[in-house]
């Protein structure tokens, strides 16, 4: 599937129930390792709960997925070599590019005949959580639920830090944070920033987890963390969007 964007064509994966009905839309942003079988599995699970799930290759400017060659399982030892390949792609995916793409992705998603009318959800993993925040803030009328798991830093001193966008968000929010990613103080500051912005939200550290804990094809995977992720994500989507 190809999504027209201001900068070209983004290849994407789309999964939905094949029952001839219309379903709430979910825009799922990939982690830094890109669109691959594990993300297709997650999209299919979401679709099984009654959603149309769109997973764009946000690195499409550098080529179709898979943009880099990945091992079948990303071990701790392999991570430095893999990150050496993906870091230039991450750095090239600027906030400006992400925002241009977000409008195209949301427009494409909501125009699909299998997608129900009304707002959608945005879900992101790792760097995708950062992009999800920017998407929800830029399109508050279109995004009713936002979930980010093991997010890349959302609060920093940069003038375009994602947390500065919280006042623009009207979606219900859940942030599922790896225990090794942020200190309780940073998580507390995120929580306070969301509260001050009036965002209905939950911010939670998932015990015993490291960055990437939802991804079954890496050594970072944590089964309990993934299960907790589903236990938080599915009720969020149901409360914000409902199922058909």
């Amino acid at each position: 599937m190809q999504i027209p964007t201001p900068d070209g064509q983004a290849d994407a994966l789309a999964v939905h129930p094949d029952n001839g009905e219309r379903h709430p839309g979910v825009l799922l942003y990939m982690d830094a390792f890109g669109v691959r079988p594990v993300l297709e599995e997650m999209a299919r699970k979401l679709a099984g709960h009654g959603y149309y799930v769109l997973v764009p290759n946000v690195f499409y400017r550098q080529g179709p997925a898979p943009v880099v060659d990945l091992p079948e399982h990303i071990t701790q030892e392999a991570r430095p070599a893999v990150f050496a390949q993906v870091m230039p792609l991450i750095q090239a995916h600027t906030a400006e590019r992400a925002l241009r793409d977000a409008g195209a992705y949301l427009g494409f998603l909501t125009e699909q005949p299998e997608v129900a009318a009304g707002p959608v959800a945005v879900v992101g993993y790792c760097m995708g959580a950062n992009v999800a925040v920017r998407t929800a803030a830029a399109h508050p009328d279109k995004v009713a639920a936002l979930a980010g798991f093991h997010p890349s830093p959302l609060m920093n001193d940069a003038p375009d830090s994602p947390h500065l966008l919280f006042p623009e968000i009207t979606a219900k929010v859940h942030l599922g944070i790896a225990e090794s990613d942020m200190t309780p103080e940073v998580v507390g500051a995120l929580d306070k920033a969301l509260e001050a912005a009036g965002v209905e939200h939950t911010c939670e550290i998932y015990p015993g987890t490291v960055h990437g804990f939802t991804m079954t094809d890496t050594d970072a995977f944590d089964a309990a963390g993934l299960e907790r992720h589903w236990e938080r994500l599915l009720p969020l989507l149901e409360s914000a969007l409902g199922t058909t």
Side-chain angles (χ1 to χ4, degrees):
M1 176 172 287
Q2 298 289 319
I3 304 174
T5 77
D7 296 338
Q9 297 276 332
D11 52 304
L13 168 72
V15 188
H16 59 86
D18 188 17
N19 56 11
E21 299 179 2
R22 301 177 75 191
H23 303 276
V26 176
L27 174 58
L28 193 158
Y29 281 120
M30 64 190 214
D31 63 348
F33 296 145
V35 180
R36 59 197 193 283
V38 65
L39 288 182
E40 182 174 355
E41 291 171 15
M42 296 174 87
R44 291 194 181 283
K45 178 157 183 170
L46 270 180
H49 286 273
Y51 299 97
Y52 182 110
V53 187
L54 181 68
V55 189
N57 166 28
V58 304
F59 295 153
Y60 69 89
R61 293 174 181 84
Q62 286 76 34
V67 180
V68 300
D69 291 327
L70 296 173
E72 187 172 331
H73 185 86
I74 302 169
T75 63
Q76 192 64 30
E77 293 74 23
R79 285 178 79 89
V82 172
F83 267 106
Q85 296 182 76
V86 302
M87 277 307 295
L89 305 177
I90 295 170
Q91 292 165 351
H93 193 63
T94 61
E96 291 77 14
R97 285 183 166 183
L99 285 175
R100 287 204 301 273
D101 292 344
Y105 298 154
L106 288 173
F108 182 89
L109 176 61
T110 55
E111 289 167 3
Q112 298 311 297
E114 301 89 356
V115 175
V120 303
V122 180
V123 180
Y125 301 86
C126 178
M127 59 168 275
N130 183 307
V131 179
V133 168
R134 297 186 187 282
T135 299
H139 301 276
D141 57 325
K142 295 182 179 179
V143 180
L146 163 63
F149 298 96
H150 42 87
S152 57
L154 296 175
M155 181 176 281
N156 55 56
D157 295 329
D160 65 346
S161 174
H163 82 282
L164 299 175
L165 302 172
F166 289 166
E168 308 303 319
I169 293 174
T170 58
K172 295 182 179 180
V173 174
H174 174 73
L175 297 178
I177 299 163
E179 188 172 26
S180 68
D181 268 355
M182 299 180 197
T183 65
E185 292 75 20
V186 172
V187 176
L190 272 177
D191 188 68
K192 287 181 180 178
L194 286 162
E195 184 175 350
V199 177
E200 183 177 345
H201 72 282
T202 53
C203 249
E204 183 178 359
I205 296 175
Y206 287 25
T209 57
V210 298
H211 187 75
F213 63 82
T214 61
M215 299 298 162
T216 59
D217 63 349
T218 78
D219 276 359
F221 172 62
D222 182 88
L226 178 62
E227 184 57 30
R228 185 183 292 250
H229 144 281
W230 290 118
E231 290 171 355
R232 301 298 186 265
L233 177 58
L234 294 173
L236 174 72
L237 298 182
E238 186 172 0
S239 68
L241 305 180
T243 55
T244 57

